[in-house]
Structure formats: structure tokens, C-alpha cells
């Protein structure tokens, strides 16, 4: 549950009330207005070929090894569903393996080593640490196994076939837009808001925060970010932070809870003080608990990622490369915009984008 | 046999000159009485901190802010109380935070169904409390078993249960908070006077714990065990049984801590107690207990916990870079440890 | 001494892994008798004391108190039966007060409901501890001081005082004069004599042979886990006792 990036469901996948935000994100309101689709921001081209030693399963079925951060995390469960569906439709085998619960390089490295010993046709991996997993990725490439990074990436991406992730900066900007809409932003007025992050070093957090602030600077001069604090991934700490802010800033209008722990800590604080609907809380990630709170109007909006799409694209690109031995048409880096869910999103949309738990 | 002449009116501090093993050279009396009275120093420190934060932000002394600090204090102090018993007994319990998470998740599962059936709030919370306490006590029993029968040192045994508890909490919950019990959040915010009612339950637990640690036979055995395990055994104390009870108590209080976190967050999250073992140990050490066992005061732990939560909230409210929180805690621990080293006449074999 | 001995160990054997610590040892003490238990390091003295005090069970052999066979499951059982032990490394808890140490393991509880709830009558214990220590001839001022505040000699005095105060039948002292100065050692010996006068059986383990010769009625010599001599103290002098311990003199 660290570094979460996202894929956005693209174009046709979207349903009416669900807003997809393009990275260029010129999104205005959030509530119920349906919004036109925006294409994926794939930056195709520019990809560096893998050492094309070719580990194809010539003749037999291709086998794709998929190593994610933590199997039990609904984010990765959703990714698995996308990957499974794509593997099935392309007729390839998928080995889905990761540590059951720990998001940690210490447990990930042995699993990757073991996967490589089985000589898969390709390796798709979400590194839990950019440096710690670099040797394993190098080893795979040396063995002629093409590597795709998904969600997170290793430090040196030059020999990686493709890196697919969500656009956190765009997600932050979308959060600013959603918050402004929920506060009924009117030029000339001042709105005090705060930001709860997980830690100062998590790259997704910093990208989301940067996007959030940039959007405010560009479009909402009346919004003042009064404070930021870190939860160290503890919802109780996030809760304490928000309680203190609510005491310190009695006129607080908005909270951007940048990750799951801040979302639940802030949600509890608003409920305890009967401030639901009075303070616009924008959270991140469509975990089922968050979606339930969204339906209770505790969240004004949730910025959802699309891990299903990430998993699907990762498998698609790997198989495409194995079959064509060519990188053409495979983006070296692909960032997909995040999705905004609001209490007015239709039940079907909520169901589609809520991360599954099994 | 008169080691000290009986006629010295029983008050002489220093041993007679003839003594072949004089105690550590004693610093001047005033230094001894100040340094020896850690409770007093802690009170001064707490007062200074409150005044400092008040000077930066006057809202710090509002009743709303005090309630914030106490809410935070309540979920920490239950773990710290159990940790005090364990540390006084000469052990350490690294699993308190993960036990709180684990018990909170299991408790949340048990309550979720009842919440959706709209069962009475009191019934839901009673069931949840019992489940959390039982799960916590169970983890404590595992700790005790690892220490007593597998002969693991407490650090290793409780490190193992820390990992196992945190891992199981994540697996069972799929990494997300279980439940969205708005009713529980609001119910737990009901005020009695200026503070919410859980504060008074915690105060009750603190009073009982203090009485038992310092005035009862149970507490006496806990101190004896930490001071000299052999002496305790030779004096006929059932050391193993006592050790089991101490770890079970710590687990039980951690489980209750998990229930308090549930009340605060309206959910049982697999990370809700993560890292709290270090805060709990910090509270105990700042409170003046020795990690070698045999010494400590529950009042010190309480002051230590208040200082930690005051610093956390104070830094937020005065809008200091929140990373200073961890630095501040580290400095407090270092100061407490330094005081312990300076304290005269202690821990000499 | 016509009847069965007060406290008796018959045919005791004990091994730790491959090491045989005691082999077929017979040992006894009578009321009002001081028995010296001597031997070189590793001869098995401490092992025998730990068996007699209930810390370890023997592999083989019987223990009889007042002629009745007993089995100690824990030190608690032996203490209950009136057998007190002063261990070589202090059996005191340094962080507790003198009074708390004297009453360790047999705390006095408050009368009534508070006592039922496990609350201590600390005042009564402190007062009684001071009285008990005084009664057995030990005066350490201020029973509310913690033991860690005491000197080595004072601690030893408290430990001996506690053992004698509680002993009803037998008291075992493992190297009680270790770390003590000459004057204090003499005081320990006189405390042992007064215990003897009270009719206790006293077992005295020491490397300080002059003390053993001075205070004991009988001496048992252990070598390599076996009893090599059990005779009245009058049959030894310093030289012959040392010879028996080291094996230079072959005894019966």
C-alpha cells in the first residue's frame, strides 16, 4: 500500500457520471455533470528495446510472470483481475505471485528470483523499492526476459520494455478541482484547506501534492493550504492531525487526504465532530471502505486509480513484444489519468472502480 | 551482628566507614533529591511544553485542544500501561502496537455484522470490547509461551508476534480498514463534562493499574521478578505463572487499545496500531522505568504519555514541520536515559 | 540425635547432560547442629544445596524431613516446610526495600476486603521486618531503604537475617562470609550459633576452612560428586581437612 499509481479507464470504459480526468485535466465541476472522455496519455515511441535475445516460448504457450507488491492488497487484486482477463483473451499463461501481505523488498526479492528460475517468457513487476529490485530486473534482462514495470518502477528504466502507472500529478490536480467544486468555490473568497500525507518521501504523495498545489495556484487563488502533516501510515495519527487542525482552523473548508490512512483518519474526525458536508474531504483510492464513506457523503470526492487497466496493459504490451519482437506501438512510459468518484456517481460506476477484496 | 550500629537512629544514608563495600559515592543531597525525583522533572517538563505551545498558539489551552490530546493519549496509554508491567518485570513487549491492530481488525469483523443488523450500540460495543480483549490476551499468551517454553528472549518472542500480528491483520483485512461505523464514532464522542466518556474509562483503568502495580502483591511480584528473577524464584514465587500473567495483561490492554482505536476511527485498520509499540516504550522509558527491569512508576508512564501526546499535538497546532515530532521523541528518550544513568545508587549489583 | 535426623538426603544422584554432579550422596543434619559442607569447586556442593532447597529435583534418591519422605516441586514447597536457604549470589531483589525483601514470597496482606483483593499491608511488613531482623541479632537501619542502597555487607546481613527469621527447621548458608570483612564474618558465625541454639539444623558451605573448623559440629567433605568423609569436626585439623578436600589424604 505504498506507492500507488494508477491507470485510468480510458474513453469508452467510462460511464456517464464518472469523470475521467485527462492529464491536461481541464475539468470543471465534479458533481453530476458527465464529462467528455479524454484519451489516454500514452506517450508511445521513445521506448528502448530490450536486449532482444528473445525468450519467447516459441511454439508453446507464452508464460508471463507477474510479481506485485502484496497479494492481499485490493489494489493489486484489481490489477490481477485486469491481468487475468487480458491473459485469457490473448491465450497466454499468467503466473501471479507476490508476498501475501508484506509490501517489502526483503520479501519481494526471493520471490522474483524464484520466478526467474522458472524461465518465464516475460516478467511484469511492481518494485517495492526502486534500487533494491534493480539487480533482479537486470538479471532478467540479461537472461533475455523482457521486463515491464507497473505502478512503481526501478531506478534505471532504460532497458525496461514499458512502465505503466497512474498520473499522480494529474490526480492531485483533480483533487483540487473536486474540492473547489464541493466548496462551491467563488472567486474573491478565501478557503482554508489542509493536506494529510503519509510521509515526506513517498513519491506518489509528493507528486499528488505538487499537482494539487499547482492546480490551486493556477485556478483557485482563494484556496490557502494552511498546513501539511504526515501520518506515517497510521490512521490514528492522521486522525490526531485532523482533530488538531479542526481546533486550530475553525473555518477549515477542505481536507485533501492524500492516501488511505489519511482518508480514514480524516473521515473519522469529521464524523466525530458532525462536520460531514461542512468540510470538503477529498480522499484517494477506491477501497471499499472509502467508497462506503463516499456514499455516506463523508467524502466529497475520491480520486480513484485504475489498477485493473494497469494490469491489462502490462500483459498486453508484454505479449505484443514477445509476438512481434518489436517495440513499435509499445509506449516506454505510460501514465494514465485518475478518475474522480463522487457521491453522485452511479452505483454501477462505483462498483466498477471499487477495488475488489477477493 | 550490627552492620550499622542500631543506635544510629535508623536514618543514616551512608554506610559506616568500616564497611568494606561502600555504596556508590553519592552526589550532593540536592542533586540526588532532584534527579531522583523523575516525576517532578516530568511535571515540570510537561508544564513547560504546554506553556511553550500556548505561547505559540493560544488555542492550545482551549478545552477542545485538551480533548484532542486526551483522545490521542487514551489510545496510547493503554498500551503503555501493559508495557510498564512488562518492563518492570524485566521483559519487553514489542507486539503491543500490532496486537492493537490485529485485535481491532478481528473486533471490527465481529461488530460489522451486528452494525449492519442495527443491533443496539451498547451491545455491539460490549461484544467488540470482549472480542478485542480476548484476542489481545491470546496474543499475550502466545508471547508468554514463546518466552516460557521455547525459551526465547522477550525481544525476539514479541518481535515474532509483532510481525505475525501485523501480517495477519493485513491478510484478513486485505489491507483496508474494516467497517465504517459512524455510530460508534459519534457514540464515543458523547461528553461527560468537558471530555468524552472513554477518557473516564481510561482514567479508571489507570487508577486500578496504579493500585495493583504499586500496592498489591501482584505488583510486588512483578518488581521482584524484574529486580532479581532468581531471588523471586528462590523466595517461592511462581515465576513462570507470573510471567504468563504479565504478558497476558499486556496483550489484553493492547486489545482494549485496539477497541479504543476502533471507537476513534469507526473501523479496525490493520495499521491502526503500527509503530505504537515504540511510542508505548518511549512513554515508559521517559517515565523513568529501567529497561533492565525492577524499577518504574506508573505515574511516570502516564506523564511520559502525556508529554508525548502534547508534543505531537503541539507541533501540529503550531504548524511546525511534522517531521520534528520524531526528533522530539528521540530527544526526550535520550534525556530520560541520561537521567537514569545519573541517578545515584541504582542498578549496582 | 537418637531419632531420625532432622533433614536427610539418601542416595542422591544428579547429572547435567553427561556431567555427573552428584553420585549416591548421603547427607543429614540434626536439630541444633551445624554441619559444614566442604569441597573443591565443582565438587557438587551447590548442586546438593539446590536439591535440598527444592530448586532442582534429584535424578535418584530420597529426601526426608523429620523422618518423612518429601518431594519438592519448587523452592516454594521447601520454604513452606520450614527450610530456608541463603544463596551464594544474593537472593535479594535490589530494587525492593529491606522490608519487602524480608517478606518476599510471603507478603502480609491488608485485613478484610482489601487483602482479599491482593493489597499489601506494607506498614506492618516494614515494622515486623525491623523487629525480626533485630530479634535474630541484625540491625540494619531503616527497613524502608531499598537493598540497592546498602553495602555488600549490609545486604548479606539482610539475607541472613531473612533466612534465619523465617527458618523453622533447617537453614542452609552457601558461602555466607564471601565478600565480607573479618569482623563481619565473625558476626555471621555468631548468628549461626544463635540459630543452632534455637534448635535449627544449620548447613554451612564455605571455602574458608578456619570458619568451618571454628563453628561446625560435623563436617561432610564432597569430592567429584561423592561424599568422601563425614565426621565430627573434632577429628579434623586445618591440614587434614584440606588434604581430604584435595584428595591428598584418601579417606574412608
Amino acid at each position: 500500500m505504498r506507492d500507488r499509481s494508477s491507470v485510468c479507464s480510458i474513453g469508452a470504459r467510462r460511464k456517464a457520471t464518472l469523470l475521467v480526468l485527462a492529464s491536461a485535466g481541464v475539468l470543471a465541476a465534479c458533481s453530476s455533470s458527465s464529462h467528455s472522455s479524454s484519451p489516454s496519455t500514452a506517450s508511445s515511441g521513445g521506448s528502448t528495446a530490450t536486449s532482444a535475445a528473445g525468450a519467447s516460448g516459441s511454439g508453446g504457450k507464452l508464460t508471463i510472470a507477474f510479481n506485485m507488491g502484496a497479494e492481499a492488497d485490493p489494489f493489486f487484486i484489481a490489477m490481477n483481475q485486469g491481468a487475468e482477463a487480458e491473459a485469457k483473451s490473448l491465450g497466454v499463461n499468467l503466473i501471479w505471485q507476490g508476498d501475501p501481505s508484506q509490501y517489502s523488498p526483503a520479501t519481494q526479492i526471493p520471490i522474483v528470483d524464484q520466478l526467474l528460475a522458472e524461465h518465464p517468457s516475460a516478467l511484469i513487476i511492481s518494485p517495492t523499492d526502486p534500487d533494491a529490485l534493480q539487480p533482479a530486473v537486470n538479471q532478467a534482462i540479461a537472461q533475455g526476459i523482457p521486463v515491464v514495470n507497473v505502478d512503481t518502477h526501478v531506478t534505471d528504466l532504460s532497458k525496461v520494455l514499458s512502465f505503466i502507472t497512474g498520473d499522480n500529478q494529474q490526480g492531485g490536480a483533480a483533487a483540487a478541482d473536486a474540492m473547489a467544486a464541493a466548496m462551491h468555490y467563488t472567486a474573491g473568497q478565501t478557503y482554508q484547506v489542509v493536506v494529510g500525507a503519509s510521509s515526506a518521501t513517498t513519491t506518489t504523495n509528493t507528486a499528488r501534492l505538487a499537482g494539487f498545489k499547482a492546480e490551486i495556484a493556477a485556478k483557485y487563488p482563494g484556496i490557502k493550504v494552511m498546513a501539511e502533516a504526515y501520518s506515517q501510515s497510521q490512521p490514528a495519527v492522521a486522525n490526531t492531525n485532523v482533530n488538531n487542525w479542526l481546533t486550530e482552523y475553525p473555518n477549515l473548508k477542505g481536507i485533501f487526504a492524500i492516501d488511505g490512512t489519511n482518508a480514514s483518519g480524516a473521515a473519522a474526525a469529521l464524523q466525530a465532530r458532525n462536520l460531514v458536508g461542512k468540510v470538503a474531504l477529498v480522499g484517494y483510492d477506491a477501497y471499499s471502505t472509502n467508497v462506503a464513506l463516499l456514499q455516506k457523503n463523508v467524502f466529497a470526492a475520491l480520486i480513484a486509480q485504475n489498477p485493473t487497466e494497469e494490469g491489462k496493459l502490462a500483459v498486453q504490451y508484454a505479449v505484443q513484444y514477445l509476438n512481434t519482437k518489436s517495440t513499435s506501438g509499445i509506449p516506454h512510459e505510460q501514465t494514465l489519468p485518475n478518475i474522480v468518484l463522487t457521491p453522485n456517481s452511479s452505483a454501477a460506476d462505483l462498483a466498477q472502480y471499487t477495488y475488489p477484496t477477493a | 551482628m550490627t552492620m550499622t550500629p542500631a543506635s544510629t537512629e535508623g536514618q543514616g544514608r551512608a554506610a559506616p566507614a568500616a564497611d568494606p563495600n561502600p555504596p556508590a559515592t553519592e552526589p550532593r543531597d540536592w542533586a540526588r533529591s532532584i534527579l531522583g525525583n523523575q516525576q517532578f522533572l516530568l511535571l515540570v517538563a510537561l508544564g513547560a511544553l504546554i506553556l511553550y505551545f500556548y505561547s505559540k498558539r493560544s488555542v492550545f489551552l482551549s478545552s477542545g485542544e485538551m480533548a484532542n490530546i486526551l483522545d490521542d493519549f487514551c489510545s496510547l496509554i493503554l498500551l503503555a500501561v501493559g508495557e510498564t508491567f512488562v518492563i518492570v518485570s524485566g521483559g519487553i513487549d514489542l507486539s503491543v502496537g500490532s496486537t492493537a491492530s490485529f485485535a481491532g481488525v478481528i473486533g471490527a469483523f465481529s461488530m460489522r455484522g451486528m452494525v449492519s443488523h442495527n443491533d443496539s450500540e451498547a451491545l455491539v460495543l460490549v461484544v467488540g470490547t470482549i472480542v478485542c480483549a480476548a484476542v489481545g490476551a491470546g496474543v499475550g499468551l502466545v508471547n508468554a509461551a514463546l518466552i516460557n517454553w521455547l525459551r526465547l528472549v522477550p525481544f525476539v518472542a514479541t518481535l515474532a508476534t509483532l510481525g505475525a500480528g501485523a501480517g495477519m491483520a493485513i491478510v484478513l483485512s486485505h489491507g483496508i480498514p474494516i467497517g465504517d461505523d459512524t455510530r460508534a464514532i459519534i457514540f464515543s464522542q458523547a461528553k461527560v463534562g468537558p471530555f468524552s466518556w472513554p477518557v473516564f474509562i481510561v482514567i479508571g483503568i489507570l487508577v486500578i493499574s496504579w493500585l495493583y502495580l504499586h500496592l498489591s502483591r501482584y505488583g510486588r511480584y512483578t518488581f521482584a521478578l524484574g529486580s532479581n528473577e532468581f531471588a523471586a524464584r528462590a523466595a517461592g514465587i511462581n515465576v513462570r505463572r507470573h510471567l504468563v500473567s504479565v504478558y497476558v495483561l499486556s496483550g489484553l490492554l493492547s486489545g482494549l487499545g485496539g477497541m479504543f482505536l476502533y471507537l476513534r476511527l469507526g473501523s479496525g485498520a490493520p495499521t491502526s496500531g503500527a509503530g505504537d509499540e515504540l511510542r508505548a516504550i518511549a512513554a515508559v522509558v521517559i517515565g523513568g522505568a529501567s529497561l533492565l527491569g525492577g524499577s518504574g512508576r506508573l505515574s511516570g508512564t502516564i506523564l511520559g504519555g502525556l508529554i508525548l501526546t502534547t508534543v505531537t499535538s503541539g507541533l501540529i497546532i503550531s504548524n511546525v514541520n511534522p517531521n520534528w515530532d520524531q526528533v522530539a521523541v528521540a530527544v526526550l528518550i535520550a534525556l530520560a536515559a541520561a537521567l537514569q544513568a545519573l541517578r545515584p545508587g541504582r542498578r549496582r549489583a | 540425635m537418637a531419632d531420625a535426623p532432622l533433614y536427610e538426603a539418601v542416595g542422591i544422584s544428579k547429572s547435567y547432560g553427561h556431567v555427573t554432579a552428584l553420585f549416591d550422596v548421603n547427607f543429614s543434619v540434626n536439630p541444633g547442629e551445624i554441619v559444614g559442607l566442604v569441597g573443591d569447586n565443582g565438587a557438587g556442593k551447590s548442586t546438593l544445596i539446590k536439591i535440598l532447597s527444592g530448586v532442582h529435583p534429584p535424578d535418584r534418591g530420597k529426601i526426608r524431613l523429620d523422618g518423612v519422605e518429601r518431594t519438592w516441586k519448587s523452592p516454594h514447597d521447601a520454604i513452606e516446610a520450614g527450610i530456608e536457604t541463603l544463596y551464594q549470589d544474593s537472593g535479594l531483589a535490589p530494587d525492593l526495600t529491606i522490608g519487602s525483601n524480608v517478606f518476599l514470597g510471603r507478603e502480609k496482606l491488608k485485613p478484610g476486603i482489601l487483602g482479599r483483593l491482593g493489597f499489601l499491608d506494607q506498614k506492618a511488613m516494614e515494622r515486623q521486618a525491623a523487629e525480626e531482623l533485630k530479634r535474630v541479632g541484625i540491625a540494619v537501619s531503616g527497613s524502608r531503604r531499598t537493598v540497592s542502597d546498602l553495602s555488600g555487607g549490609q545486604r548479606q546481613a539482610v539475607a541472613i537475617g531473612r533466612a534465619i527469621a523465617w527458618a523453622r527447621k533447617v537453614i542452609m548458608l552457601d558461602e555466607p562470609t564471601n565478600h565480607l570483612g573479618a569482623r563481619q564474618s565473625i558476626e555471621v558465625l555468631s548468628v549461626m550459633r544463635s540459630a543452632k541454639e534455637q534448635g535449627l539444623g544449620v548447613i554451612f558451605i564455605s571455602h574458608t576452612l578456619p570458619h568451618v573448623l571454628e563453628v561446625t559440629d560435623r563436617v561432610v567433605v564432597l569430592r567429584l560428586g561423592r561424599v568422601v568423609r563425614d565426621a565430627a569436626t573434632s577429628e579434623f585439623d586445618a591440614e587434614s581437612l584440606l588434604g581430604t578436600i584435595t584428595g591428598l589424604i584418601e579417606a574412608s
Side-chain angles (χ1 to χ4, degrees):
Chain A
M1 13 239 74
R2 310 291 135 96
D3 208 357
R4 191 61 33 73
S5 328
S6 82
V7 182
C8 165
S9 93
I10 304 164
R13 297 180 160 265
R14 270 180 309 97
K15 302 287 166 53
T17 56
L18 184 74
L19 305 176
V20 170
L21 303 165
S23 58
V26 194
L27 170 35
C30 75
S31 310
S32 57
S33 74
S34 155
H35 204 271
S36 67
S37 104
S38 48
S40 98
T41 56
S43 64
S44 57
S47 64
T48 313
T50 320
S51 63
S56 75
S58 53
K61 247 178 154 185
L62 294 173
T63 298
I64 312 289
F66 203 131
N67 172 237
M68 86 309 305
E71 271 183 20
D73 186 333
F75 179 86
F76 289 110
I77 294 172
M79 191 182 281
N80 182 21
Q81 291 185 345
E84 286 281 2
E86 186 69 8
K88 206 170 185 180
S89 78
L90 295 174
V92 299
N93 291 324
L94 184 74
I95 307 174
W96 176 263
Q97 205 175 356
D99 187 88
S101 63
Q102 304 287 325
Y103 190 92
S104 144
T107 54
Q108 188 177 23
I109 289 169
I111 293 171
V112 184
D113 289 346
Q114 188 220 321
L115 283 172
L116 290 180
E118 294 171 29
H119 294 289
S121 316
L123 173 70
I124 302 172
I125 183 171
S126 300
T128 52
D129 184 282
D131 294 320
L133 271 297
Q134 184 77 51
V137 166
N138 291 347
Q139 191 203 333
I141 291 166
Q143 286 179 25
I145 300 171
V147 176
V148 174
N149 278 189
V150 63
D151 185 34
T152 50
H153 63 86
V154 289
T155 310
D156 177 12
L157 270 174
S158 64
K159 290 195 174 127
V160 169
L161 177 63
S162 183
F163 167 48
I164 303 151
T165 189
D167 189 336
N168 285 295
Q169 194 136 359
Q170 170 268 333
D177 292 331
M179 186 182 285
M183 297 188 301
H184 306 293
Y185 180 83
T186 317
Q189 298 210 33
T190 304
Y191 302 85
Q192 295 184 332
V193 305
V194 290
V195 179
S198 181
S199 87
T201 53
T202 309
T203 54
T204 47
N205 279 209
T206 48
R208 290 168 190 173
L209 181 57
F212 182 77
K213 285 182 167 171
E215 187 76 351
I216 285 172
K219 291 168 64 179
Y220 309 109
I223 295 181
K224 306 284 177 217
V225 178
M226 305 305 291
E228 300 154 25
Y230 307 117
S231 69
Q232 313 301 339
S233 294
Q234 284 177 269
V237 174
N239 181 252
T240 301
N241 293 344
V242 173
N243 281 336
N244 280 310
W245 283 328
L246 291 172
T247 303
E248 188 182 7
Y249 308 112
N251 292 317
L252 196 71
K253 292 287 184 243
I255 301 173
F256 180 27
I258 232 165
D259 77 333
T261 54
N262 279 285
S264 61
L270 294 189
Q271 292 174 86
R273 290 160 181 257
N274 201 19
L275 289 172
V276 170
K278 293 169 191 146
V279 176
L281 172 61
V282 177
Y284 228 102
D285 283 328
Y287 290 114
S288 55
T289 322
N290 286 352
V291 172
L293 290 166
L294 181 75
Q295 287 167 317
K296 288 186 184 177
N297 292 312
V298 176
F299 285 104
L302 274 182
I303 312 300
Q305 309 183 63
N306 197 338
T308 316
E309 187 69 11
E310 274 186 47
K312 172 185 169 289
L313 286 178
V315 171
Q316 181 191 316
Y317 293 154
V319 172
Q320 185 182 334
Y321 175 76
L322 291 169
N323 286 336
T324 63
K325 295 285 176 292
S326 157
T327 59
S328 89
I330 300 174
H332 185 234
E333 284 190 39
Q334 177 159 10
T335 54
L336 299 168
N338 292 292
I339 302 151
V340 174
L341 299 174
T342 73
N344 297 320
S345 299
S346 75
D349 293 337
L350 293 177
Q352 181 182 349
Y353 291 101
T354 301
Y355 307 161
T357 49
Chain B
M1 153 169 172
T2 44
M3 293 306 178
T4 302
S7 58
T8 46
E9 295 169 52
Q11 296 311 319
R13 287 241 140 192
D19 197 302
N21 291 312
T25 42
E26 307 203 5
R28 274 176 265 171
D29 276 355
W30 61 266
R32 183 192 173 99
S33 55
I34 297 282
L35 290 178
N37 193 344
Q38 189 142 354
Q39 316 289 304
F40 176 71
L41 289 179
L42 289 172
L43 261 179
V44 170
L46 181 61
L49 281 169
I50 290 173
L51 281 180
Y52 171 73
F53 289 124
Y54 174 66
S55 75
K56 295 198 81 174
R57 297 282 312 195
S58 60
V59 72
F60 195 75
L61 271 185
S62 68
S63 66
E65 184 55 25
M66 291 294 124
N68 286 344
I69 292 176
L70 282 179
D71 276 354
D72 192 21
F73 173 77
C74 283
S75 39
L76 169 68
I77 200 65
L78 291 179
L79 311 194
V81 167
E83 192 72 66
T84 306
F85 277 87
V86 172
I87 285 178
V88 165
S89 81
I92 194 151
D93 189 349
L94 298 177
S95 71
V96 291
S98 109
T99 301
S101 307
F102 180 55
V105 166
I106 304 279
F109 273 121
S110 70
M111 286 180 275
R112 192 165 63 174
M114 300 177 73
V115 170
S116 62
H117 281 108
N118 251 327
D119 288 341
S120 99
E121 187 63 22
L123 180 67
V124 172
L125 296 188
V126 166
V127 168
T129 304
I130 291 171
V131 170
C132 286
V135 170
V139 175
L141 203 58
V142 172
N143 280 331
L146 292 175
I147 293 164
N148 258 345
W149 290 289
L150 282 188
R151 304 245 156 238
L152 299 182
V153 295
F155 189 95
V156 174
T158 59
L159 186 64
T161 46
L162 182 167
M168 281 166 69
I170 292 175
V171 170
L172 291 173
S173 67
H174 297 289
I176 57 170
I178 300 303
D180 54 313
D181 192 351
T182 308
R183 232 172 29 156
I185 296 177
I186 293 167
F187 188 71
S188 71
Q189 284 295 319
K191 298 278 193 271
V192 179
F195 304 120
S196 55
W197 60 265
V199 171
F200 295 93
I201 292 193
V202 166
I203 290 173
I205 292 175
L206 290 179
V207 168
I208 293 170
S209 302
W210 186 86
L211 290 171
Y212 270 88
L213 182 61
H214 294 298
L215 298 181
S216 83
R217 181 162 59 190
Y218 184 84
R220 176 62 45 79
Y221 285 3
T222 308
F223 275 93
L225 186 56
S227 190
N228 184 348
E229 185 184 337
F230 179 77
R233 189 176 324 123
I237 296 171
N238 190 332
V239 165
R240 282 190 166 201
R241 194 175 64 193
H242 196 77
L243 201 116
V244 171
S245 75
V246 167
Y247 282 91
V248 168
L249 175 68
S250 175
L252 189 143
L253 287 168
S254 305
L256 287 179
M259 184 64 198
F260 269 83
L261 286 166
Y262 177 90
L263 287 176
R264 243 178 101 185
L265 299 168
S267 60
T271 56
S272 54
D276 275 356
E277 59 279 349
L278 293 182
R279 287 179 91 207
I281 293 169
V284 177
V285 170
I286 291 169
S290 163
L291 284 176
L292 299 169
S295 74
R297 305 286 306 171
L298 199 71
S299 49
T301 298
I302 293 168
L303 287 169
L306 280 173
I307 287 175
L308 285 178
T309 45
T310 299
V311 168
T312 303
S313 284
L315 290 180
I316 292 286
I317 213 153
S318 50
N319 219 346
V320 175
N321 181 337
N323 286 316
W324 283 107
D325 185 24
Q326 291 173 58
V327 177
V329 171
V331 168
L332 286 168
I333 293 174
L335 279 176
L339 271 179
Q340 216 165 67
L342 285 173
R343 243 183 305 167
R346 309 299 291 175
R347 304 304 325 171
R348 293 179 56 89
Chain C
M1 285 171 227
D3 303 334
L6 171 62
Y7 194 37
E8 183 180 27
V10 183
I12 298 287
S13 295
K14 178 78 185 175
S15 304
Y16 297 105
H18 310 296
V19 183
T20 303
L22 292 175
F23 186 80
D24 196 24
V25 167
N26 295 318
F27 181 84
S28 68
V29 63
N30 294 305
E33 183 189 35
I34 302 180
V35 180
L37 182 60
V38 298
D40 217 338
N41 287 333
K45 306 184 299 285
S46 287
T47 303
L48 182 57
I49 289 298
K50 282 182 175 151
I51 288 169
L52 290 173
S53 63
V55 172
H56 296 315
D59 296 339
R60 259 198 315 280
K62 292 187 171 78
I63 290 172
R64 292 196 199 104
L65 183 65
D66 290 324
V68 180
E69 190 173 333
R70 306 295 291 264
T71 309
W72 310 134
K73 291 205 187 74
S74 73
H76 185 73
D77 290 352
I79 289 169
E80 287 276 288
I83 295 159
E84 284 293 322
T85 311
L86 173 77
Y87 294 96
Q88 187 171 353
D89 298 313
S90 167
L92 298 178
D95 298 290
L96 300 186
T97 65
I98 295 169
S100 300
N101 265 289
V102 168
F103 277 87
L104 191 59
R106 41 198 149 213
E107 285 74 10
K108 275 182 84 78
L109 298 179
K110 280 199 191 292
I113 183 78
L114 285 177
R116 292 249 188 85
L117 291 172
F119 288 102
L120 298 167
D121 195 342
Q122 189 65 17
K123 269 188 190 155
M125 286 194 283
E126 302 289 1
R127 194 185 58 238
Q128 237 173 298
E131 284 168 9
E132 286 294 326
L133 289 177
K134 208 168 161 191
R135 180 178 67 79
V136 298
I138 291 167
V140 179
S141 58
S143 68
R144 313 187 87 178
R145 294 160 68 191
T146 61
V147 164
S148 61
D149 288 340
L150 301 180
S151 70
Q154 289 172 315
R155 291 180 194 196
Q156 195 72 338
V158 171
I160 294 170
R162 176 177 72 173
I164 292 178
W166 290 109
R168 283 178 288 114
K169 297 190 179 288
V170 177
I171 176 164
M172 300 187 276
L173 304 136
D174 192 354
E175 299 284 5
T177 57
N178 251 8
H179 314 304
L180 292 191
R183 190 175 67 85
Q184 289 164 318
S185 296
I186 290 165
E187 286 169 346
V188 170
L189 299 187
S190 83
V191 169
M192 284 166 60
R193 286 199 191 91
S194 78
K196 169 186 167 169
E197 280 158 21
Q198 291 168 32
L200 295 175
V202 180
I203 300 170
F204 176 41
I205 298 175
S206 184
H207 278 116
T208 316
L209 299 184
H211 289 165
V212 174
L213 290 171
E214 181 184 336
V215 77
T216 61
D217 302 305
R218 186 156 58 87
V219 178
V220 175
V221 183
L222 278 175
R223 193 164 73 233
L224 302 175
R226 292 162 197 266
V227 174
V228 294
R229 191 85 200 276
D230 180 347
T233 308
S234 54
E235 292 182 28
F236 293 98
D237 58 21
E239 209 172 308
S240 67
L241 184 54
L242 186 63
T244 312
I245 289 168
T246 57
L248 292 175
I249 298 173
E250 283 303 326
S252 53

